[in-house]
Amino acid sequence: MRKPVMAGNWKMYKTPAETAAFFEKFRPLAGQAEHCEVVICPPFTNLAAAVEAAQGTRIRIGAQNIGWAKEGAFTGEISGPMIVASGATYAIVGHSERRQYFAETDETVLKRTQAALEFGLTPIVCVGERLEEFESGHTEAVLVRQFQQGIAGLSERQFARIAIAYEPVWAIGTGKTATPEIAAGAHRAIRAQARAKFGKEAGEAIRILYGGSVKPDNTRSLMAQPEIDGVLVGGASLDAVSFASIVNF
Ligand code: 13P
């Protein structure tokens, strides 16, 4: 059985004070959830505040990116040891907004994923096709390329420690959710890659989350798909009541 991961990606929202206020409300609603892992990924500057606010709960904290080097002359980057020192335990890697606006490639996504693993963080590796790729029927080809040029570079032991998030770019922040069937189809394609590269058992065990306009009212139908092992939520994770109702689908 794959335990679901219900993760919130706050993107570039909230100050440390707003983070503390969120947790005040969220803790009693979802702080002790046992049916899933709850992960919240605030901006780097709020990691410490989030870790502190989550103490005594089952909520885990994650970064939204991770530098590939341990330290060095990399202005603007944050390294694995820095994230670990904040108390966070997860890191999102390769989000489509990083790929689109900050020139992230399959190669840098792999390097960042390996760094997260090296420093003991759980990477949530994002893949997904753009609108024109979806409309021209290239979803599977894009997923195969992202898998082959990124994730396939991991060792079997490394692969066993990651989660993957399928986020169709056309569904992010647009209110257009992929139907549960479309999402499940994409998840099957990713799992087939995983099985072929890392073996049947690893393919069965890998958790694949769906992301893109996940809201309280569509979570249940997405989670009803056996292929969908959790969600990565943007906008709807910013409000404590809304994200709690997603967690408690
Ligand atoms: P929205 O839930 O706002 O569509 O964002 C999805 C996302 O990008 C999560 O990483």
Side-chain angles (χ1 to χ4, degrees), residues 64-87:
Q64 296 174 18
N65 189 14
I66 176 171
W68 57 71
K70 181 170 165 236
E71 58 185 8
F74 297 102
T75 303
E77 287 288 275
I78 304 287
S79 74
M82 294 168 187
I83 294 167
V84 169
S86 77

Side-chain angles (χ1 to χ4, degrees), residues 1-7 35-38 164 177-181 183-184 187 191 207-211 213-233 243-249:
M1 270 303 281
R2 301 186 291 263
K3 190 168 191 174
V5 179
M6 311 302 274
H35 63 284
C36 64
E37 282 167 34
V38 180
I164 296 175
T177 328
T179 63
E181 293 73 26
H187 286 215
R191 202 175 295 287
R207 287 179 295 187
I208 306 176
L209 322 186
Y210 168 78
S213 296
V214 175
K215 306 289 176 212
D217 62 3
N218 59 24
T219 303
R220 193 188 282 252
S221 62
L222 289 161
M223 291 302 294
Q225 294 286 334
E227 272 299 331
I228 299 182
D229 306 317
V231 287
L232 182 55
V233 186
F243 191 47
S245 87
I246 289 173
V247 166
N248 298 317
F249 67 95

Side-chain angles (χ1 to χ4, degrees), residues 182-201:
I182 290 178
H187 286 215
R188 269 192 292 279
I190 295 166
R191 202 175 295 287
Q193 290 294 307
R195 225 182 263 121
K197 171 72 191 172
F198 296 104
K200 188 164 181 287
E201 228 169 86

Side-chain angles (χ1 to χ4, degrees), residues 31-44:
Q32 301 304 332
E34 289 188 3
H35 63 284
C36 64
E37 282 167 34
V38 180
V39 184
I40 293 181
C41 303
F44 288 122

Side-chain angles (χ1 to χ4, degrees), residues 23-187:
F23 276 90
E24 280 298 309
K25 263 184 150 177
F26 185 70
R27 270 194 318 251
L29 300 175
Q32 301 304 332
E34 289 188 3
H35 63 284
C36 64
E37 282 167 34
V38 180
V39 184
I40 293 181
C41 303
F44 288 122
T45 46
N46 305 355
L47 285 176
V51 167
E52 192 187 324
Q55 265 184 16
T57 73
R58 302 175 59 90
I59 305 162
R60 299 287 170 260
I61 305 302
Q64 296 174 18
N65 189 14
I66 176 171
W68 57 71
K70 181 170 165 236
E71 58 185 8
F74 297 102
T75 303
E77 287 288 275
I78 304 287
S79 74
M82 294 168 187
I83 294 167
V84 169
S86 77
T89 49
Y90 282 75
I92 296 172
V93 179
H95 190 277
S96 64
E97 287 149 17
R98 302 285 329 161
R99 294 178 189 256
Q100 186 178 353
Y101 304 125
F102 302 100
E104 204 76 67
T105 62
D106 293 331
E107 189 193 345
T108 57
V109 170
L110 175 61
K111 284 168 75 172
R112 293 181 195 278
T113 304
Q114 285 167 328
L117 291 164
E118 180 182 346
F119 299 110
L121 297 161
T122 300
I124 299 175
V125 184
C126 302
V127 295
E129 80 286 5
R130 298 194 306 266
L131 178 64
E132 61 274 22
E133 294 164 335
F134 173 70
E135 285 179 336
S136 60
H138 288 109
T139 297
E140 188 164 343
V142 171
L143 295 175
V144 168
R145 190 206 74 216
Q146 290 173 338
F147 191 96
Q148 289 301 330
Q149 295 183 11
I151 296 165
L154 298 174
S155 70
E156 276 173 41
R157 277 185 55 192
Q158 289 176 321
F159 181 76
R161 292 175 42 214
I162 74 168
I164 296 175
Y166 168 62
E167 298 207 311
V169 179
W170 48 271
I172 295 178
T174 58
K176 281 188 210 161
T177 328
T179 63
E181 293 73 26
I182 290 178
H187 286 215

